[in-house]
């Protein structure tokens, strides 16, 4: 896995970039996958990464697996490469916003 200092930094970075609550993310994943005729089961809604982010949000730091750590790094890298989380402008691109929301980051929420 990683040493304690690296894990602390990753935990903080992950929760800084993932600015949606587990309830908000779960609702978004269900809405994103729903269509006019059907809605997926809650545990099947969203992308595999989105579902994994949701499961991480529901865990304590001590319960993380190596796979969780891998996904956390991927999410932090993806979000930080696309946006400046500290000073994010209004999200002008709806597709971009929805892609980031699938990872638990709502650009409009960050700008409030």
């Amino acid at each position: 896995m990683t040493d304690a200092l690296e894990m602390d930094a990753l935990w903080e970075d992950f929760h800084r970039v993932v600015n949606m609550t587990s309830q908000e993310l779960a609702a978004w994943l269900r809405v994103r996958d729903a269509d006019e005729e059907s809605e997926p089961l809650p545990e099947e809604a969203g992308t595999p990464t989105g579902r994994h982010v949701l499961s991480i949000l529901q865990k304590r730091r001590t319960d993380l697996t190596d796979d969780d750590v891998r996904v956390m790094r991927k999410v932090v890298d993806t979000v930080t490469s696309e946006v400046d989380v500290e000073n994010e402008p209004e999200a002008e691109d709806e597709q971009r916003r929805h892609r980031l929301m699938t990872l638990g980051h709502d650009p409009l929420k960050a700008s409030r």
Side-chain angles (χ1 to χ4, degrees), residues 5-112:
L5 289 176
E6 282 182 79
M7 192 62 228
D8 288 347
L10 178 60
W11 182 262
E12 286 179 28
D13 287 345
F14 179 78
H15 284 89
R16 178 177 50 86
V17 301
V18 175
N19 63 0
M20 296 170 70
T21 65
S22 58
Q23 295 86 359
E24 290 169 332
L25 179 56
W28 166 250
L29 294 175
R30 284 191 307 274
V31 166
R32 180 186 172 277
D33 277 4
D35 60 26
E36 290 182 22
E37 298 181 20
S38 67
E39 182 174 330
L41 295 172
E43 63 274 359
E44 296 174 2
T47 64
T49 302
R51 289 193 305 268
H52 202 143
V53 169
L54 181 59
S55 76
I56 292 168
L57 288 175
Q58 298 167 339
K59 290 184 176 187
R60 296 175 302 176
R61 186 182 334 197
T62 57
D63 296 331
L64 296 174
T65 65
D66 288 342
D67 199 36
D68 294 335
V69 171
R70 181 189 57 76
V71 169
M72 289 170 70
R73 284 189 178 118
K74 176 182 174 184
V75 168
V76 169
D77 290 346
T78 301
V79 173
T80 55
S81 71
E82 287 207 31
V83 296
D84 176 1
V85 178
E86 299 298 323
N87 191 14
E88 188 166 10
E90 289 292 316
E92 66 288 339
D93 179 4
E94 190 172 333
Q95 276 188 324
R96 175 182 164 269
R97 178 179 182 230
H98 290 175
R99 185 176 62 254
L100 289 168
M101 286 174 67
T102 301
L103 299 176
H105 178 80
D106 184 351
L108 294 182
K109 189 173 183 180
S111 65
R112 289 185 224 160

